[in-house]
């Protein structure tokens, strides 16, 4: 209890304060007597010492040194018995007490010090008993309330009523999601202040902090959560850090709201599993398109919306199977990131991968790069986060198609220096590169072998480059000439020479198709060299 509260009780109102009146809000929980000169070595916080003043009169105790020591130890105050040696409390001692806001109180002259101590202790013990009873009652009231599965607002209103301080609840992004009805500011303004004006690193906030908003003291306290990435926070207005009752009641509230938050965690995890099951069924074709569209509408997603599909995976050098802890960490970090930036992204899990459906109106490459840059530093040094995403954007009824593209891109990421890879459609060049080298070489020699005999290596190269340009520029002679920096007549001369050497007609579609394939294979071989 406060020293001021103690002095206001009827049995102690005859005591008077002679110095340090501004310090009467100090906590007091035990009483002691000055019995030895070295009392400063045994001081305790919130202790009130009483003396008859004799140690000050015979210089065995320096009163100024004692007051400084008691102030340093956060003692409650000093009592000096009236009409004994009080004259030895000099004016400079009283001035020091006023400077330190350290109370000096005169106790009754007609009362033994032991009796004064007993009277004070009786009041303190009764106060502590009342406080304990109140805390037990608050705890029981909140426990009974939780059995009714109440809303956040109901819990906050009841907690506010029980502890006498308005409360508000924040999610892991410092957004005020619920508040007691007597909160003197709007949730939106409070969210803006906490997120944008305090520069608090709420992602890494694990201990209570205090900030001031419009002359109101806000104590922000993290709540216990099964996943630290999904922790929540409770805010308490004008919580007195020196009031033990306030602090104990606040702890009861924190325990209650932490339980509520853990229950929310479990519900969210269950919802995530259900969502994963739904999209897996969509991908396997186990749900009709009509039912898919109906479910998407119920979840607030327009069925015609197109998505990129992305898969993200954690790889390590030494573990073929990843720990559940690591997978959950990546999942929670990803979900936190999506919600923090309110990204148009749907997430679900598939075995040891996390699948993301990225709305077409969002740049998939930028989002995935930012996500990897956010998560990677938080993982074990042996772990590497990679992502692959689809080239196509399709409605979710075509989920299997875009997932297969994302899975193929993810496979490429494993051997790529880049963490994020987009699926590359198989163009002609890529298809050609898949032909075994020995077969490609044999085909080139069979079709183009006629260009070797009777010409120099340099002229052979000129003929082949001209032929490649001829097909590349869709048989446009002028384009080929410009690309090779030669006259168009030179291009025509070379093409006629090629026809003669290979005994074919470039106007014959079947012969041209075979020749073009051979030239592309030859060009691919040159690139490999």
């Amino acid at each position: 209890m406060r020293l001021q509260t103690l002095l206001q009780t009827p049995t102690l109102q005859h005591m008077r304060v002679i110095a340090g009146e501004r310090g009467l809000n100090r906590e007091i929980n035990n009483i002691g007597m000055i019995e030895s000169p070295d009392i400063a070595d045994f001081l305790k916080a919130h202790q009130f010492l009483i003396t008859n003043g004799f140690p000050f009169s015979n210089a065995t105790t320096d009163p100024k040194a004692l007051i400084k020591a008691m102030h340093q130890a956060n003692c409650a105050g000093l009592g000096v018995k009236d009409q004994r040696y009080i004259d030895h409390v000099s004016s400079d001692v009283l001035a020091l007490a006023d400077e330190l806001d350290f109370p000096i109180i005169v106790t009754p002259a007609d009362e033994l010090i032991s009796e004064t101590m007993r009277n004070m202790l009786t009041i303190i013990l009764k106060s502590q008993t009342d406080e304990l009873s109140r805390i037990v009652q608050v705890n029981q009231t909140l426990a009974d309330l939780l059995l009714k599965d109440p809303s956040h607002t109901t819990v906050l209103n009841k907690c506010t009523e029980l502890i006498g301080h308005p409360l508000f609840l924040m999610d892991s992004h410092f957004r005020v999601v619920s508040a007691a009805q007597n909160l003197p500011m709007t949730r939106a303004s409070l969210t803006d202040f906490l997120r944008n004006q305090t520069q608090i690193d709420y992602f890494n906030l694990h201990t209570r902090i205090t900030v001031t908003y419009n002359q109101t003291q806000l104590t922000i306290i993290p709540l216990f959560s099964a996943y630290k990435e999904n922790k929540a926070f409770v805010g308490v207005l004008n919580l007195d850090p020196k009031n033990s009752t306030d602090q104990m009641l606040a702890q009861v509230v924190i325990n209650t709201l932490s339980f509520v938050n853990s229950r929310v965690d479990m519900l969210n995890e269950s919802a995530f599993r259900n969502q994963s099951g739904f999209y897996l069924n969509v991908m396997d074709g186990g749900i009709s398109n009509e039912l898919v569209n109906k479910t998407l509408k119920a979840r607030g997603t327009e069925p015609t919306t197109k998505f990129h599909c992305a898969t993200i995976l954690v790889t390590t050098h030494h573990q073929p199977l990843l720990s559940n802890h690591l997978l959950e960490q990546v999942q929670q970090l990803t979900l936190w990131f999506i919600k923090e930036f309110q990204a148009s992204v749907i997430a679900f899990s598939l075995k040891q991968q996390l699948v993301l459906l990225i709305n077409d109106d969002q740049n998939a490459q930028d989002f995935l790069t930012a996500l990897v840059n956010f998560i990677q530093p938080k993982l074990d040094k042996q772990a590497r986060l990679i992502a692959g995403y689809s080239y196509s954007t399709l409605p979710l009824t075509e989920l299997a198609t875009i997932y297969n593209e994302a899975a193929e891109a993810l496979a490429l990421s494993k051997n790529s220096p880049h963490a994020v890879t987009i699926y590359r459609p198989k163009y002609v060049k890529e298809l050609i590169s898949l032909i075994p080298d020995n077969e490609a070489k044999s085909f080139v020699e069979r079709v183009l072998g006629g260009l070797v005999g009777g010409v120099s290596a340099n002229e052979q190269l000129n003929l082949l480059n001209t032929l490649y340009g001829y097909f590349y520029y869709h048989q446009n002679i002028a384009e080929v000439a410009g690309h090779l920096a030669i006259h168009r007549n030179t291009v025509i001369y070379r093409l006629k020479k090629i026809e003669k050497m290979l005994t074919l007609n470039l106007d014959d579609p079947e012969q041209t198709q075979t020749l073009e394939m051979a030239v592309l294979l030859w060009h691919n071989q040159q690139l490999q060299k």
Side-chain angles (χ1 to χ4, degrees):
M1 67 185 304
R2 303 288 185 188
L3 182 57
Q4 187 173 33
T5 304
L6 180 72
L7 297 179
Q8 289 172 348
T9 56
T11 56
L12 300 180
Q13 283 184 343
H14 46 281
M15 293 185 178
R16 70 180 192 276
V17 182
I18 61 173
E21 189 169 2
R22 291 191 302 270
L24 290 177
N25 63 340
R26 290 174 180 251
E27 280 278 318
I28 178 172
N29 59 26
N30 66 85
I31 312 294
M33 183 186 300
I34 298 179
E35 297 177 332
S36 61
D38 61 347
I39 187 64
D41 296 334
F42 304 96
L43 298 174
K44 297 179 181 179
H46 313 308
Q47 182 182 45
F48 186 87
L49 290 182
I50 299 180
T51 178
N52 61 9
F54 179 73
F56 299 160
S57 67
N58 61 12
T60 56
T61 301
D62 179 359
K64 292 177 70 174
L66 177 62
I67 288 173
K68 289 179 181 179
M70 293 182 72
H71 173 71
Q72 187 69 29
N74 197 25
C75 291
L78 176 66
V80 182
K81 188 172 182 178
D82 198 8
Q83 299 180 14
R84 292 288 287 165
Y85 299 94
I86 192 168
D87 293 341
H88 292 280
V89 180
S90 60
S91 59
D92 58 337
V93 171
L94 300 178
L96 175 62
D98 282 330
E99 179 185 340
L100 298 177
D101 296 336
F102 183 80
I104 297 180
I105 296 169
V106 176
T107 64
D110 59 350
E111 192 174 82
L112 294 174
I113 288 181
S114 59
E115 186 178 351
T116 302
M117 292 175 63
R118 184 172 63 252
N119 291 338
M120 295 179 75
L121 280 172
T122 299
I123 296 171
I124 291 172
L125 290 173
K126 183 179 184 305
S127 173
Q128 291 175 342
T129 301
D130 291 344
E131 285 181 6
L132 183 59
S133 298
R134 181 186 173 194
I135 291 166
V136 170
Q137 182 59 45
V138 167
N139 189 63
Q140 185 61 52
T141 300
L142 292 176
D144 293 341
L145 179 63
L146 291 179
L147 293 175
K148 301 175 183 178
D149 193 19
S151 66
H152 281 137
T153 302
T154 301
V155 175
L156 289 172
N157 283 332
K158 177 54 71 174
C159 289
T160 295
E161 174 191 331
L162 292 172
I163 72 172
H165 296 280
L167 300 168
F168 57 92
L169 185 67
M170 295 177 289
D171 62 14
S172 57
H173 309 272
F174 251 33
R175 297 186 181 105
V176 180
V177 295
S178 186
Q181 59 187 7
N182 63 343
L183 190 73
M185 65 278 292
T186 66
R187 288 191 292 170
S189 63
L190 194 51
T191 295
D192 176 68
F193 168 73
L194 292 168
R195 277 179 59 87
N196 304 321
Q197 300 178 45
T198 61
Q199 297 183 336
I200 296 172
D201 181 10
Y202 43 86
F203 182 82
N204 293 308
L205 181 60
H206 306 295
T207 57
R208 69 170 60 190
I209 59 170
T210 301
V211 295
T212 301
Y213 175 58
N214 291 344
Q215 299 181 336
T216 300
Q217 187 182 72
L218 309 177
T219 301
I220 311 297
I221 308 169
L223 298 177
F224 169 80
S225 173
Y227 305 105
K228 66 178 182 179
E229 296 82 9
N230 195 36
K231 62 180 175 290
F233 305 89
V234 62
V236 189
L237 271 60
N238 298 321
L239 182 65
D240 189 347
K242 296 181 180 180
N243 187 317
S244 59
T245 303
D246 268 9
Q247 295 301 318
M248 286 188 286
L249 287 172
Q251 188 60 53
V252 172
V253 168
I254 291 167
N255 294 342
T256 301
L257 292 174
S258 291
F259 176 81
V260 174
N261 191 54
S262 296
R263 186 166 57 189
V264 171
D265 277 348
M266 290 187 289
L267 292 174
N268 288 339
E269 182 63 21
S270 178
F272 182 79
R273 292 178 185 274
N274 290 337
Q275 177 165 281
S276 298
F278 168 72
Y279 286 110
L280 289 178
N281 280 328
V282 173
M283 196 156 53
D284 292 339
I287 305 179
S288 67
N289 288 352
E290 182 181 356
L291 182 56
V292 170
N293 292 338
K294 183 178 179 180
T295 305
L296 290 175
K297 283 185 177 181
R299 296 185 177 190
T301 300
E302 177 57 42
T304 58
T305 304
K306 294 182 178 180
F307 293 86
H308 283 284
C309 181
T311 56
I312 63 176
L313 177 71
V314 183
T315 62
T316 62
H317 297 299
H318 59 282
Q319 282 183 291
L321 292 176
L322 302 177
S323 67
N324 288 332
H325 171 75
L326 183 57
L327 295 172
E328 287 177 353
Q329 182 185 13
V330 171
Q331 175 182 310
Q332 294 302 323
L333 287 170
T334 301
L335 295 177
W336 188 93
F337 186 86
I338 291 171
K339 191 173 180 181
E340 170 69 8
F341 297 101
Q342 298 181 329
S344 302
V345 177
I346 300 169
F348 67 93
S349 62
L350 173 60
K351 297 179 181 178
Q352 291 199 318
Q353 298 175 9
L354 197 62
V355 182
L356 306 179
L357 304 174
I358 305 171
N359 195 300
D360 190 30
D361 64 6
Q362 184 159 295
N363 188 305
Q365 176 75 30
D366 290 349
F367 172 80
L368 291 170
T369 300
L371 177 65
V372 170
N373 290 339
F374 169 72
I375 296 178
Q376 185 63 63
K378 299 172 177 57
L379 301 180
D380 183 90
K381 291 182 179 179
Q382 300 296 322
R384 177 176 180 244
L385 189 70
I386 57 174
Y389 69 101
S390 65
Y391 176 84
S392 307
T393 56
L394 296 172
L396 292 182
T397 50
E398 303 294 329
L399 178 55
T401 299
I402 54 177
Y403 171 77
N404 288 333
E405 289 188 6
E408 190 167 330
L410 183 68
L412 294 174
S413 285
K414 293 179 181 179
N415 299 316
S416 170
H418 305 291
V420 179
T421 302
I422 184 174
Y423 170 79
R424 293 177 297 171
K426 293 296 185 289
Y427 296 113
V428 174
K429 284 185 179 180
E430 294 181 70
L431 290 172
I432 286 175
S433 68
L434 299 178
I435 299 175
D437 290 343
N438 59 336
E439 294 184 20
K441 184 177 180 182
S442 175
F443 183 81
V444 170
E445 289 176 352
R446 179 168 59 83
V447 177
L448 300 178
L451 296 179
V452 178
V455 296
S456 65
N458 185 59
E459 186 176 357
Q460 179 188 351
L461 184 60
N462 286 337
L463 292 174
L464 287 169
N465 282 331
T466 302
L467 192 56
Y468 178 80
Y470 177 74
F471 291 121
Y472 186 86
Y473 291 106
H474 308 292
Q475 304 177 9
N476 188 316
I477 302 298
E479 288 281 352
V480 178
H483 175 70
L484 296 177
I486 57 178
H487 196 275
R488 66 187 311 274
N489 289 339
T490 304
V491 175
I492 295 171
Y493 169 79
R494 290 179 179 177
L495 292 174
K496 289 186 177 296
K497 188 171 184 177
I498 290 169
E499 285 181 313
K500 183 178 180 180
M501 295 178 70
L502 297 179
T503 63
L504 54 77
N505 181 4
L506 289 177
D507 293 329
D508 185 325
E510 186 173 345
Q511 293 182 0
T512 303
Q513 188 178 48
T514 301
L515 183 61
E516 183 176 5
M517 178 60 71
V519 170
L520 289 174
L521 285 170
W522 168 82
H523 187 262
N524 187 61
Q525 291 170 358
Q526 301 306 304
L527 292 177
Q528 290 178 350
K529 291 179 181 179

